[in-house]
Amino acid sequence: MSVCHSYSKCESILGLFFLNLFGIVFSQCGGSTQSLTANQAIQYFTSVGYNNGAGTYSSNIDCQWIIDSGVANYKVIVYLKNYNIACSGDNINIYDGNNISGTVLKSNVCGTGTSDNFVTSTGQYLTLRFTSDAVNQSVGFEAAYFSATDLSGTGCTAEQTLTPTTSAQYVTSPSFPSLYDVSSNCRWVLTVPAGRVQVEIVYSDIESSANCAFDSLEIYDGDYVCENTKLAAFCARFPNGATGSYVSNGTSFLLKFKSDGSVSYTGYLIKYTQVEEDVSVNPVTSSDDTERDYDQLMLGIGIGCACGATGALLLVFVVTFFKSKCRSPKIVSPRVKTVEPMNGGPHMRTPSVNGSVDSSDSVTHSRNGFIRRPLTTSRRSSMVDGKSNGFLP
């Protein structure tokens, strides 16, 4: 007895398998709409015949995709990752809601390129329509979509402690998926009673700047801010924003987000979970740490030859002790919160009429006690290399 009763049935099963495997949804544009359900993982769909940018769509088609966030208070976010559409009579239109009678959010998209502009629904549904005429067909498009809501909690008013479990949970920038708030200073401590914490940056769209001097998302290995436990700082626009996973050495991670007084973007979506203790990841220890340990040992040996073994051992012990206060998240030590007070925003930049940044950056007088004063050349240089606000060069 055959596994499949007909070739067409086998073909359908294999087709569904590969669609789920690659996360790409295709529609035959046969006059009916294609329904998609978004979640907090980025998914993709393409025009018919896209073939990873090497194909061609058909003439006289009318394709519609209705995307459902799945939850009433979640919005749908769509991003045109790549498109190559003939402008003679072919285009993409995006509507708010579950039909083409809704408000037009993006209209008559054609030509070639990528878009750095997200389209966000006001409610649970969003509709994308792609049409072509009888002449001049081109490649088509690939679109990304996911659902989102503001999951920043209370982390931008006071440090918030979150407890990861084996089920995925999420934290976002303030006001996500709308533009994040200016002058934000947010912290979340992710801590588990046992095991480790894993965070995955699903999506990030943060203002770019040298050394992340303006806006940034930082990850610390432990439950306090210390320069030696900073794993990374992120500040790049989507689709070039950071993605990837990190696993803590101990039982905690600290996430820190700050923004200055001007220019904001959509922010970030981070998934966090609890993982088992035996995960073989050590993001803090590096070859540089090993080299520094070796240098300290050789220094101790050298001093021991000159001054005696007792003095050398004492020196090595003192250096190692103070270094471990920052390096090990498992050591109980004072929580360092003075790098950037929760009630003090970072420096302000004055935007001009056309959206550019005034070179005379200044600190604005506010209730937080900052005093307005122009930056001198040396202070501006210090700000750019990150030292003025506590960042590493």
Side-chain angles (χ1 to χ4, degrees):
M1 180 176 179
S2 63
V3 176
C4 296
H5 295 290
S6 66
Y7 174 76
S8 59
K9 184 175 181 180
C10 290
E11 186 179 38
S12 299
I13 294 173
L14 288 174
L16 290 173
F17 171 76
F18 283 109
L19 289 181
N20 290 326
L21 178 64
F22 293 104
I24 303 291
V25 179
F26 300 92
S27 170
Q28 296 303 314
C29 299
S32 61
T33 58
Q34 173 77 39
S35 296
L36 307 175
T37 300
N39 55 43
Q40 290 168 307
I42 297 178
Q43 302 177 74
Y44 301 88
F45 67 97
T46 72
S47 55
V48 177
Y50 184 72
N51 192 25
N52 293 320
T56 304
Y57 56 80
S58 302
S59 61
N60 298 315
I61 59 174
D62 186 349
C63 313
Q64 296 180 34
W65 294 264
I66 297 176
I67 307 174
D68 180 0
S69 71
V71 183
N73 64 332
Y74 277 61
K75 299 177 180 180
V76 176
I77 297 91
V78 169
Y79 169 79
L80 294 177
K81 185 178 179 183
N82 293 289
Y83 61 89
N84 187 339
I85 299 171
C87 287
S88 59
D90 309 342
N91 55 61
I92 297 172
N93 290 278
I94 303 176
Y95 304 87
D96 197 20
N98 57 2
N99 56 64
I100 58 175
S101 299
T103 302
V104 178
L105 301 176
K106 201 173 189 68
S107 63
N108 298 322
V109 177
C110 65
T112 302
T114 60
S115 172
D116 62 355
N117 295 320
F118 281 85
V119 179
T120 304
S121 66
T122 60
Q124 185 174 346
Y125 299 96
L126 182 146
T127 300
L128 185 147
R129 183 184 190 186
F130 173 51
T131 59
S132 69
D133 61 11
V135 296
N136 297 327
Q137 288 74 53
S138 191
V139 176
F141 70 90
E142 180 180 12
Y145 68 99
F146 62 100
S147 64
T149 192
D150 184 355
L151 298 174
S152 60
T154 60
C156 296
T157 56
E159 183 177 280
Q160 181 180 11
T161 298
L162 303 173
T163 303
T165 65
T166 53
S167 299
Q169 300 178 73
Y170 295 85
V171 63
T172 68
S173 50
S175 301
F176 190 78
S178 300
L179 303 183
Y180 53 75
D181 302 334
V182 298
S183 301
S184 293
N185 193 352
C186 314
R187 291 182 189 173
W188 299 268
V189 174
L190 313 177
T191 187
V192 292
R196 302 187 184 187
V197 178
Q198 179 172 350
V199 297
E200 178 185 348
I201 302 176
V202 178
Y203 158 82
S204 65
D205 180 35
I206 301 172
E207 181 187 10
S208 300
S209 60
N211 298 314
C212 295
F214 298 149
D215 303 349
S216 69
L217 169 67
E218 299 172 353
I219 300 178
Y220 292 85
D221 193 21
D223 61 353
Y224 55 89
V225 174
C226 182
E227 65 179 21
N228 278 5
T229 60
K230 183 195 291 187
L231 300 185
F234 307 107
C235 55
R237 296 296 319 281
F238 188 86
N240 299 316
T243 57
S245 298
Y246 295 82
V247 177
S248 65
N249 276 329
T251 57
S252 300
F253 263 150
L254 185 143
L255 306 178
K256 175 183 170 184
F257 174 69
K258 63 98 177 179
S259 64
D260 65 7
S262 65
V263 185
S264 62
Y265 295 98
T266 48
Y268 54 85
L269 172 66
I270 294 177
K271 179 171 72 173
Y272 61 92
T273 54
Q274 179 187 29
V275 295
E276 296 298 326
E277 178 69 31
D278 60 356
V279 175
S280 58
V281 176
N282 188 346
V284 172
T285 303
S286 66
S287 59
D288 291 339
D289 295 328
T290 304
E291 292 173 2
R292 285 195 295 269
D293 293 341
Y294 177 78
D295 292 341
Q296 291 169 4
L297 176 61
M298 296 306 296
L299 176 62
I301 294 174
I303 295 175
C305 294
C307 304
T310 302
L313 291 174
L314 179 62
L315 176 63
V316 171
F317 171 78
V318 170
V319 172
T320 303
F321 173 78
F322 282 103
K323 182 178 177 182
S324 67
K325 297 296 284 184
C326 281
R327 286 184 56 189
S328 174
K330 296 186 178 181
I331 294 179
V332 179
S333 62
R335 298 168 64 84
V336 183
K337 298 183 181 179
T338 57
V339 175
E340 185 177 283
M342 289 297 294
N343 64 348
H347 69 277
M348 305 280 289
R349 290 177 295 140
T350 305
S352 65
V353 175
N354 60 9
S356 62
V357 178
D358 189 343
S359 61
S360 59
D361 290 2
S362 61
V363 178
T364 304
H365 177 72
S366 69
R367 295 177 182 175
N368 296 325
F370 290 111
I371 300 173
R372 176 182 292 276
R373 59 183 185 275
L375 293 180
T376 63
T377 301
S378 60
R379 290 182 64 247
R380 186 177 298 111
S381 174
S382 176
M383 181 194 71
V384 172
D385 68 16
K387 296 180 181 177
S388 64
N389 56 11
F391 289 103
L392 291 173

